[in-house]
Amino acid sequence: MNLIKKLKNLITHRCVKKRIKEAVGLSGADGRKRLVLLVGGKPRVFTKKQLQALIQKRYFVKGTTIQDLEKIALFTTHNRCDNVS
């Protein structure tokens, strides 16, 4: 039983690391803020715009806000301003 839990944790950890790399790459390419969330037990990458649309469609529990999702996110990319003069 303990071995099964360790194996599941290892697989989940690898999937999370893969999604974090994906989020960083996509964020660097287009400059949008990305969040890695566990949805249905699987890590997924979302933009803030996608999350706003899902909240409007009641995908999450009623009363959920972007700030709530940012708090529970596994990883959040940050927008960087490279045009500093």
Side-chain angles (χ1 to χ4, degrees), residues 13-14 16 20-21 24-25 29 37 41 46 50 53 55-57 62 64 68 75 80 82-83:
H13 181 69
R14 283 189 179 183
V16 168
I20 289 173
K21 276 186 173 182
V24 169
L37 295 169
F46 295 100
Q50 288 174 329
I55 288 171
Q56 288 177 353
K57 292 179 183 177
K62 186 175 181 179
T64 302
D68 296 335
F75 182 78
R80 304 202 180 209
D82 294 332
N83 299 333

Side-chain angles (χ1 to χ4, degrees), residues 13-46:
H13 181 69
R14 283 189 179 183
C15 288
V16 168
K17 283 177 63 175
K18 186 176 180 180
R19 296 297 170 231
I20 289 173
K21 276 186 173 182
E22 179 185 345
V24 169
L26 290 171
S27 179
D30 63 7
R32 292 185 182 174
K33 190 171 187 178
R34 309 264 178 183
L35 291 98
V36 177
L37 295 169
L38 273 180
V39 177
K42 296 179 182 179
R44 293 190 54 201
V45 178
F46 295 100

